[in-house]
């Protein structure tokens, strides 16, 4: 499978953790300067397609407990950080299609009373719940293959992982589950590029424009930390962002509008980088960085500022008060 373009490939490969750390100062193996704008344009076009392609069931499975579960498994397996975000996206895509298909199947059962259909649905819910750990591992396996087939999870590794999690499945069952997930999503992961890709790409362009003043490595580390915090408390953080923008009227924002904002990776990446820059360089330089980010991402300065302010306020509040 083709790898995504990498404009920061001067990297150190930590084989033990299978994590590639970008070296933002190394220009020996990056995209040519003339191609970088084309790559950014590709990301922005995908971002528009993602927002325009929203449905009523998009992101309904990205709940805090699901995010934490997938993140924890990927961390324990030492998978590249992009895998957990891609796995989360595939899981949401799969579960939405899977539940909708099962619901339609029950709805159109012939010669069944409503009571019989309800009992049938209860059985299906029980089966789906029982298979949930297997499905989570399957989407992680698929995401790992999309990221790097060479370093992807094998069926033997998946079987051992499931045993560790208290679920006993044969290798044949593991393969069948992977195929079930792939068939359900029509063998197509809706979007290959994760928020990590957007952050890395935008940060690289920033470094090219301001190489002497930005501590890119430290900003990168903080940005990944902030991104994790955002995903682990999605609704809380984005409600905080809306509070910054709309104040007391933030509660009137529709769920559809909320999902559209959450699907905007350009806004998210720019806001996360701005948050990281505040932590590393302080607010004065961050104001300059936000202006550059606006040019790169086509997101307004005001929106990036609101995003970063909401993230900082909610993450700090969460750390001080502890999780709900």
């Amino acid at each position: 499978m083709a790898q995504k373009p990498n404009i920061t490939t001067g990297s150190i490969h930590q084989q033990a953790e299978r994590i590639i750390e970008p070296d933002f100062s190394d220009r020996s193996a990056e995209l040519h300067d003339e191609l970088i704008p084309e790559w950014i344009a590709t990301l922005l076009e995908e971002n528009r397609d993602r927002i325009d392609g929203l449905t009523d069931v998009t992101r309904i499975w990205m709940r805090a407990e699901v995010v934490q579960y997938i993140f924890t498994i990927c961390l324990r397996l030492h998978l590249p950080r992009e895998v957990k975000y891609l796995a989360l996206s595939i899981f949401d895509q799969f579960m939405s299609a899977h539940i909708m298909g099962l619901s339609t199947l029950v709805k159109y059962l012939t010669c069944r009373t409503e009571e019989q259909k309800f009992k049938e649905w209860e059985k299906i819910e029980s089966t789906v719940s029982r298979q949930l750990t297997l499905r989570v591992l399957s989407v992680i396996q698929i995401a790992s293959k999309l990221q790097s087939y060479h370093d992807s999870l094998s069926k033997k590794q998946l079987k051992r992982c499931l045993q560790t999690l208290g679920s006993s499945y044969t290798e044949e069952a593991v393969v069948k589950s992977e195929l079930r997930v792939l068939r359900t999503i029509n063998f197509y992961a809706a979007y290959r590029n994760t928020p990590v890709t957007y952050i890395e790409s935008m940060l690289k362009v920033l470094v090219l424009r301001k190489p002497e003043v930005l501590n890119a490595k430290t900003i990168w580390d903080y940005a990944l930390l902030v991104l994790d915090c955002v995903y682990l408390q999605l609704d809380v953080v984005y409600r905080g962002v809306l509070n910054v923008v709309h104040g007391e009227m933030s509660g009137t924002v529709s769920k559809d509008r909320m999902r559209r904002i959450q699907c905007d990776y350009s806004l998210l990446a720019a806001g996360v980088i701005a948050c990281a820059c505040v932590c590393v360089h302080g607010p004065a330089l961050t104001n300059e960085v936000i202006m550059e980010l606006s040019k790169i991402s086509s997101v307004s300065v005001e929106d990036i500022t609101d995003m970063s302010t909401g993230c900082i306020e909610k993450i700090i509040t969460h750390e001080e008060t502890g999780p709900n």
Side-chain angles (χ1 to χ4, degrees):
M1 296 182 183
Q3 288 289 306
K4 68 177 177 65
N6 188 343
I7 63 177
T8 59
T9 50
S11 308
I12 299 173
H13 187 198
Q14 301 176 356
Q15 185 63 36
E17 296 187 356
R18 292 185 288 181
I19 294 176
I20 297 176
E21 288 291 351
D23 184 346
F24 294 94
S25 63
D26 188 346
R27 304 202 62 185
S28 61
E30 65 183 20
L31 284 178
H32 190 277
D33 288 354
E34 293 180 359
L35 296 177
I36 292 177
E38 293 186 22
W39 170 237
I40 296 296
T42 298
L43 291 179
L44 298 184
E45 182 179 0
E46 181 186 275
N47 193 57
R48 288 190 292 271
D49 290 343
R50 182 187 306 105
I51 295 172
D52 292 341
L54 282 178
T55 67
D56 292 339
V57 295
T58 301
R59 299 181 78 86
I60 66 172
W61 290 95
M62 289 192 185
R63 303 166 184 170
E65 58 270 25
V66 173
V67 175
Q68 187 171 8
Y69 193 49
I70 290 178
F71 278 22
T72 301
I73 293 174
C74 290
L75 179 64
R76 296 291 178 84
L77 293 174
H78 303 292
L79 294 172
R81 51 183 55 89
E82 290 92 339
V83 171
K84 61 187 179 184
Y85 293 103
L86 184 55
L88 187 60
S89 176
I90 295 173
F91 181 78
D92 181 67
Q93 184 183 352
F94 163 72
M95 288 299 293
S96 296
H98 185 46
I99 297 301
M100 187 175 296
L102 293 172
S103 176
T104 301
L105 182 66
V106 173
K107 181 179 179 180
Y108 292 103
L109 282 175
T110 58
C111 303
R112 300 286 181 91
T113 64
E114 289 302 315
E115 183 179 356
Q116 288 172 328
K117 289 181 180 180
F118 181 76
K119 289 182 179 179
E120 188 66 29
W121 181 249
E122 284 186 325
K123 293 178 183 178
I124 290 175
E125 281 187 325
S126 178
T127 301
V128 170
S129 178
R130 188 173 63 252
Q131 295 175 338
L132 203 56
T133 300
L134 176 62
R135 302 306 188 204
V136 166
L137 265 295
S138 292
V139 301
I140 291 174
Q141 182 184 32
I142 293 167
S144 74
K145 288 181 178 181
L146 289 172
Q147 177 64 25
S148 170
Y149 195 85
H150 179 269
D151 292 328
S152 62
L153 294 173
S154 68
K155 57 187 178 183
K156 290 183 179 179
Q157 288 175 304
L158 226 67
K159 178 184 174 182
R160 289 197 298 268
C161 185
L162 284 163
Q163 289 173 341
T164 302
L165 293 170
S167 300
S168 181
Y169 288 95
T170 64
E171 290 182 15
E172 181 182 4
V174 168
V175 173
K176 286 183 177 180
S177 178
E178 181 185 10
L179 288 173
R180 178 62 182 271
V181 172
L182 288 170
R183 289 193 184 103
T184 302
I185 65 174
N186 294 321
F187 292 86
Y188 178 68
Y191 299 100
R192 285 283 307 278
N193 295 303
T194 70
V196 176
T197 306
Y198 283 73
I199 292 171
E200 180 182 345
S201 301
M202 290 184 189
L203 184 53
K204 178 60 180 182
V205 177
L206 277 176
V207 171
L208 291 175
R209 294 181 181 182
K210 293 182 174 292
E212 299 87 7
V213 296
L214 291 178
N215 186 337
K217 176 61 173 67
T218 308
I219 291 175
W220 168 253
D221 291 338
Y222 271 93
L224 294 177
L225 178 61
V226 172
L227 184 63
D228 280 355
C229 290
V230 170
Y231 264 78
L232 288 167
Q233 39 183 329
L234 267 175
D235 290 337
V236 173
V237 170
Y238 277 93
R239 279 297 171 193
V241 173
L242 291 175
N243 283 335
V244 171
V245 179
H246 299 290
E248 295 180 357
M249 298 298 295
S250 62
T252 63
V253 176
S254 67
K255 291 183 179 180
D256 179 66
R257 175 60 179 164
M258 173 69 88
R259 285 199 301 269
R260 290 179 66 86
I261 296 172
Q262 290 180 348
C263 282
D264 191 340
Y265 287 0
S266 295
L267 172 62
L268 174 61
V272 165
I273 292 173
C275 284
C277 194
V278 169
C279 297
V280 178
H281 293 292
L285 181 59
T286 301
N287 291 333
E288 296 180 31
V289 167
I290 288 176
M291 294 182 68
E292 292 294 337
L293 284 170
S294 179
K295 297 174 185 176
I296 297 167
S297 65
S298 299
V299 179
S300 71
V301 170
E302 291 77 12
D303 286 347
I304 297 174
T305 302
D306 291 339
M307 182 71 195
S308 60
T309 301
C311 286
I312 290 173
E313 288 181 355
K314 285 302 175 182
I315 290 171
I316 291 176
T317 300
H318 182 81
E319 290 298 323
E320 289 178 346
T321 61
N324 294 327

